[in-house]
Amino acid sequence: MRIMKSRPGEELDAFAARAHQQAAGVSVALYFPPQGELQRTAEAMQRAFPESLTLGVATVRLIDGGVFESNRTLLFLFDKNDEDIRADAMLLENISKAPVSYVLGVQRRVEALGPAENDNMVCLEFCTNSEEMLVTTLTAMLAPLQVPLFGGSAFHTDILVKPPADVHFMVAWQGRLYEDACIALFLKNMRGCIKLYREIFYEVRKETPMHLATKVDTERRKLLELDDRPAAEVYSEETGIDPEAILSHVLDRPIGRMLGNEVFVISMRNVAHDGSLDTIKSVNLNDAIYIMQLGDYEQRWRETCARICREVPERQLVFSVECYHRYMFYETHGLMATLPRQRAETLGRIYGVVSGGEQIRGQNANQTGLFLVFEGKGGGAHEVE
């Protein structure tokens, strides 16, 4: 696999021309341009790779070696007979209504790469909406094939301030933009395993009470009531935070959904006049909900790095999907120049994007860091000019 980056200040046409020089043998080209550049980049990449599958999604920040960069484009090129990582891709449309209609297409593409062996395959996806339905459906399709799910939500910089009706989430496929869609990239590591990791900076402490979601609106992603009372009222009573100040505490006191021994973070987007909470991830009726607290985040990332180094000592590539709220957390806590860079120094070269939501295996979540680690014995993915 070859990796390219646009140079600082480089025009799109110049970058596309450089990329075209790498077009021979490319089966799939995956790109991540800055916000506002998805349409132009999609068209340019399709011209640069006319014989390939081209797909992409915009990102507010690019992660490169532990540094958050803006106004640059990241490009991954997969050859048909790649010795590192082989790929196939597809577009899923109408995902809010009928993602199950793509089951045969998913199976064909996975089977074309050969059977999954020793955890060496993954489905990397980026979607525009309906994450819960998509994740549930794709996981049901992929689980029998032993292929886990990993990905993020197409991001818009105004997601926290604009109502959903005013925000357009899009992915790019073969030079065109699509709403209500998902781009799926099926990857097989030819040099070893693929490991998936999830990291959150929050915790549910022993004394934290559990609340039951007793009234919800999943279509509009509204948590109306906890324990038969307005959700904001319950939140305010437990935390001592006034309802009008709840959103200012999304980075340190988010809510979370408990599943067994695992908790998945749910970001709050708005507090309505009726005391309901608008959320970025849907809450289901009778979900077990906790108001979480910020933990020792530096210890958390050290533990994640140590686990990755222990389980995958030889790595050819680490790809991360970081929530926009985590990016905000780094910024507000003065960590932009330290924590991400220290992670890269520990794990090696990291590439990634900032997303509006994160999907891993069978769950959608917020305020989460995901890490896709490709083992690499005897070589691996490399950058090209």
Side-chain angles (χ1 to χ4, degrees), residues 63 124-126 150-153 197 319-323 326 351-359 368-372:
I63 303 167
L124 174 61
E125 57 79 23
F126 291 93
F150 182 101
S153 303
Y197 298 89
F319 182 81
S320 68
V321 174
E322 291 263 22
C323 184
R326 278 171 62 101
Y351 302 94
V353 296
V354 172
S355 73
E358 300 75 52
Q359 295 90 50
T368 301
L370 303 183
F371 304 91
L372 194 59

Side-chain angles (χ1 to χ4, degrees), residues 177-242:
L177 302 192
Y178 292 83
E179 296 179 278
D180 194 18
C182 167
I183 50 173
L185 184 67
F186 306 97
L187 301 172
K188 183 174 184 178
N189 188 6
M190 308 305 293
R191 295 185 180 275
C193 67
I194 301 175
K195 294 287 188 181
L196 287 63
Y197 298 89
R198 178 177 72 98
E199 177 185 86
I200 60 174
F201 293 153
Y202 309 95
E203 61 188 15
V204 175
R205 297 176 182 172
K206 290 182 179 180
E207 67 275 13
T208 302
M210 184 196 80
H211 303 286
L212 203 63
T214 50
K215 189 174 182 181
V216 301
D217 184 337
T218 55
E219 185 173 344
R220 293 191 296 163
R221 292 186 172 178
K222 293 180 74 70
L223 173 57
L224 298 165
E225 294 183 357
L226 289 171
D227 305 331
D228 297 311
R229 298 168 56 200
E233 181 180 307
V234 174
Y235 184 102
S236 181
E237 182 180 285
E238 181 175 327
T239 62
I241 298 169
D242 291 338

Side-chain angles (χ1 to χ4, degrees), residues 14 30 52 56 88 105 114 120 125 153 177 260-261 266 307 328 340 371:
L30 172 67
S52 310
D88 202 350
N120 69 343
E125 57 79 23
S153 303
L177 302 192
N261 294 323
I266 301 170
R307 182 184 172 195
M328 291 173 60
F371 304 91

Side-chain angles (χ1 to χ4, degrees), residues 260-332:
N261 294 323
E262 293 187 295
V263 64
F264 294 86
V265 183
I266 301 170
S267 295
M268 302 166 291
R269 186 174 55 82
N270 184 49
V271 180
H273 294 301
D274 61 0
S276 63
L277 298 175
D278 295 339
T279 58
I280 296 177
K281 166 183 162 55
S282 294
V283 178
N284 298 313
L285 190 65
N286 296 324
D287 274 350
I289 300 296
Y290 293 83
I291 301 173
M292 305 180 72
Q293 298 187 58
L294 182 63
D296 186 341
Y297 49 87
E298 293 191 13
Q299 179 63 23
R300 291 288 177 87
W301 80 257
R302 282 194 293 266
E303 291 172 353
T304 301
C305 290
R307 182 184 172 195
I308 292 174
C309 290
R310 181 175 64 252
E311 296 180 356
V312 193
E314 297 180 277
R315 299 172 294 277
Q316 63 167 315
L317 178 68
V318 178
F319 182 81
S320 68
V321 174
E322 291 263 22
C323 184
Y324 181 68
H325 277 111
R326 278 171 62 101
Y327 166 72
M328 291 173 60
F329 181 90
Y330 295 143
E331 198 168 54
T332 58

Side-chain angles (χ1 to χ4, degrees), residues 122-194:
V122 70
C123 174
L124 174 61
E125 57 79 23
F126 291 93
C127 63
T128 60
N129 57 285
S130 302
E131 289 91 343
E132 284 79 15
M133 178 183 290
L134 177 71
V135 167
T136 299
T137 304
L138 272 179
T139 299
M141 295 180 194
L142 294 167
L145 303 172
Q146 301 182 57
V147 178
L149 188 70
F150 182 101
S153 303
F155 184 77
H156 190 290
T157 53
D158 289 338
I159 188 172
L160 301 180
V161 296
K162 283 190 175 182
D166 294 336
V167 176
H168 297 284
F169 302 92
M170 294 185 178
V171 293
W173 172 261
Q174 296 297 85
R176 296 177 55 192
L177 302 192
Y178 292 83
E179 296 179 278
D180 194 18
C182 167
I183 50 173
L185 184 67
F186 306 97
L187 301 172
K188 183 174 184 178
N189 188 6
M190 308 305 293
R191 295 185 180 275
C193 67
I194 301 175

